[in-house]
Amino acid sequence: MGRMHNGTGNSNKSSLPQTPKNLKITDGNDVEYSAEFADHADLEALARANAANQRVQSKRNK
């Protein structure tokens, strides 16, 4: 038979996050971008990302 888990185990794990709060990226923009190294595919992806951000912002404002 297996052991019953009633939440009285090691409570230290839940209080120790893997990544410190000051190092977490909260806005999702974790990619560096350099226009001098950009090719056509990069510029297309940037344009699509900007269009998606504008759609999200317009939906939030409604």
Side-chain angles (χ1 to χ4, degrees), residues 9-45:
N10 187 1
S11 63
N12 193 21
K13 283 189 175 187
S14 64
S15 65
L16 295 174
Q18 292 293 320
T19 306
K21 287 184 181 179
N22 63 345
L23 294 179
K24 287 186 180 180
I25 299 173
T26 58
D27 61 354
N29 295 329
D30 59 345
V31 178
E32 290 187 21
Y33 175 76
S34 176
E36 59 191 25
F37 295 121
D39 61 355
H40 182 67
D42 292 332
L43 297 176
E44 273 188 26

Side-chain angles (χ1 to χ4, degrees), residues 53-62:
N53 287 337
Q54 287 177 355
R55 285 192 301 271
V56 169
Q57 290 298 324
S58 68
K59 286 183 181 181
R60 284 186 185 171
N61 293 335
K62 287 184 178 181

